[in-house]
Amino acid sequence: MHYYREPFGFVGQQVAVIGAKNSAAKAALDCYRHGAKVTMVVRGRQIADSVKYWIKPDLKNRIKERSIVAYFDTVVEEILERSLKLRSPDGPIDIDNDFVLAMTGYQPDFGFLESLGITFADDAWRTPVYDARTFETARPGIHLAGTVCGGLRTNRWFIENGRFHARQIARHLAGLRTDTCASRIVKCRVDPAIGRCCAVREICPALTRVKEDAALASASGRSDREVGVSMR
Ligand SMILES: Cc1cc2nc3c(=O)[nH]c(=O)nc-3n(C[C@H](O)[C@H](O)[C@H](O)COP(=O)(O)OP(=O)(O)OC[C@H]3O[C@@H](n4cnc5c(N)ncnc54)[C@H](O)[C@@H]3O)c2cc1C
């Protein structure tokens, strides 16, 4: 199963979760807390660094106390009706199992996007080309919104910074100004001073331009409104 929604079908069942990033971490903890017997199969050495800082210790402690069993450096060789065959550094392992949650990531349907006439940047992520303010693509009348805007970087746009896209698109379709940009990118960085993650906001170039216009207006004694600046 590649899409995890809720734990209730897994109560009392043996569930293998493949992966070690946020989706895997959340699914494993959720299933465990709703009465499933959870085994994690992780091809790397550890739970991913990108797992949210308030989830990671919970998962690591459940693994440490063996409430959740985790096999690291281990891959799934075969999925059978009632068991799994694993390949670990210590050799083959067979485990009894009822369900497999393959939380191994996803990517956009590029074929579908191409068929619409959408073009892509020449970068490693096949980022779709779109106007950063209106979200209209190279194919007039087709806009992109949400996670798909990041191409293969499916962690670039999420709820907090993607929910503004629809508003920009609606404004564009209605013929209203879109001179403020929705592209507020929130990055997570570990702040050495406090030793944990803190959100760092990057303001998009269009918004920076708007701010510069506002500063210019202020320096020239005119109001923001007079120079047509709209800021949220
Ligand atoms: C486990 C997990 C935990 C997360 N936790 C957080 C969190 O704590 N905070 C946060 O901000 N974000 C979180 N996210 C990310 C967040 O869920 C996404 O960023 C957000 O849902 C993206 O919205 P979207 O509209 O771009 O895409 P989606 O929500 O994926 O919506 C896309 C929709 O398009 C439909 N669709 C796809 N192809 C077609 C087609 N050809 N025709 C018609 N419809 C189609 C799909 O069925 C789907 O309904 C999490 C994601 C996951 C997987």
Side-chain angles (χ1 to χ4, degrees), residues 23 26 52 112 145-147 157-160:
S23 296
K26 282 190 172 182
K52 290 164 190 157
F112 176 61
T147 302
W157 296 102
F158 37 97
I159 296 167
E160 187 184 337

Side-chain angles (χ1 to χ4, degrees), residues 28-29 32-33 38-40 42 45-47 55-72:
L29 287 167
Y32 158 68
R33 295 229 151 83
V38 177
T39 303
M40 292 186 77
V42 181
R45 294 243 152 113
Q46 57 192 19
I47 301 300
I55 294 174
K56 197 171 177 181
D58 187 5
L59 180 60
K60 284 175 91 170
N61 284 328
R62 301 298 72 73
I63 292 171
K64 202 168 163 187
E65 69 185 18
R66 291 192 67 80
S67 305
I68 292 175
V69 174
Y71 293 101
F72 294 97

